[in-house]
């Protein structure tokens, strides 16, 4: 199914839905099923509204994480050492705090604990 049209409240085709759902109506979508040759009209509504405290940090900045770098990447290896990174010969991974990994823009190199 493909969505071909999204209509906002107040635009043509939403009058009855706005009367029914009021400010809780976010949008109306028209979805097309090419196999069944059907058009589906769906709506997105707000079902709950409550305060939100914002983003909760998921990772403590001091947590030591494992990262993998290429064996021949001497420049990056030196940058990791300068920032307190330690080589773990058993795992063959570098270990560095999450905060430093983030600063060095190495998040994509984090290796899950094995």
């Amino acid at each position: 199914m493909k969505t071909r049209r999204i209509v906002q409240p107040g635009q043509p085709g939403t009058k009855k839905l706005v009367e029914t759902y009021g400010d809780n109506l976010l949008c109306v979508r028209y979805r097309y099923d090419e196999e069944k040759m059907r058009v589906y009209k769906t709506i997105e509504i707000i079902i709950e509204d409550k305060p939100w405290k914002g983003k909760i940090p998921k990772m403590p900045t001091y947590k030591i994480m494992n990262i993998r770098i290429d064996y021949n990447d001497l420049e990056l290896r030196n940058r990791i050492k300068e920032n307190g990174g330690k080589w773990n010969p058993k795992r063959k991974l570098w270990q560095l705090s999450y905060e430093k990994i983030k600063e060095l823009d190495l998040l994509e190199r984090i290796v899950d604990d094995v």
Side-chain angles (χ1 to χ4, degrees):
M1 255 191 297
K2 292 185 180 182
T3 302
R4 290 194 188 162
R5 190 170 146 207
I6 298 175
V7 184
Q8 302 300 318
Q11 291 182 319
T14 64
K15 186 176 180 181
K16 288 181 184 177
L17 294 168
V18 170
E19 287 173 7
T20 305
Y21 297 102
D23 290 339
N24 291 336
L25 180 68
L26 293 178
C27 68
V28 179
R29 289 187 187 90
Y30 292 88
R31 302 176 64 139
Y32 294 79
D33 187 338
E34 292 180 10
E35 287 180 16
K36 296 178 182 176
M37 298 303 291
R38 306 281 303 170
V39 178
Y40 299 97
K41 184 177 185 179
T42 65
I43 62 170
E44 184 175 339
I45 59 170
I46 299 171
I47 59 168
E48 184 178 20
D49 180 7
K50 62 183 181 180
W52 177 54
K53 293 181 181 177
K55 215 174 202 179
I56 298 169
K58 294 180 181 175
M59 186 66 60
T61 58
Y62 56 84
K63 182 171 180 175
I64 302 300
M65 306 291 292
N66 297 311
I67 58 172
R68 176 169 284 127
I69 62 165
D70 293 334
Y71 182 76
N72 296 325
D73 198 342
L74 300 175
E75 182 183 330
L76 183 54
R77 185 189 321 175
N78 289 332
R79 284 180 42 214
I80 290 170
K81 282 183 189 178
E82 290 169 3
N83 283 279
K86 304 278 186 214
W87 172 248
N88 183 330
K90 203 174 200 179
R91 291 187 169 176
K92 297 183 179 177
L93 296 169
W94 285 90
Q95 295 181 321
L96 190 61
S97 72
Y98 181 75
E99 178 181 39
K100 292 293 181 180
I101 291 171
K102 203 170 174 183
E103 282 178 23
L104 296 171
D105 195 26
L106 300 174
L107 293 174
E108 71 280 353
R109 294 177 180 263
I110 292 176
V111 178
D112 291 334
D113 290 335
V114 270

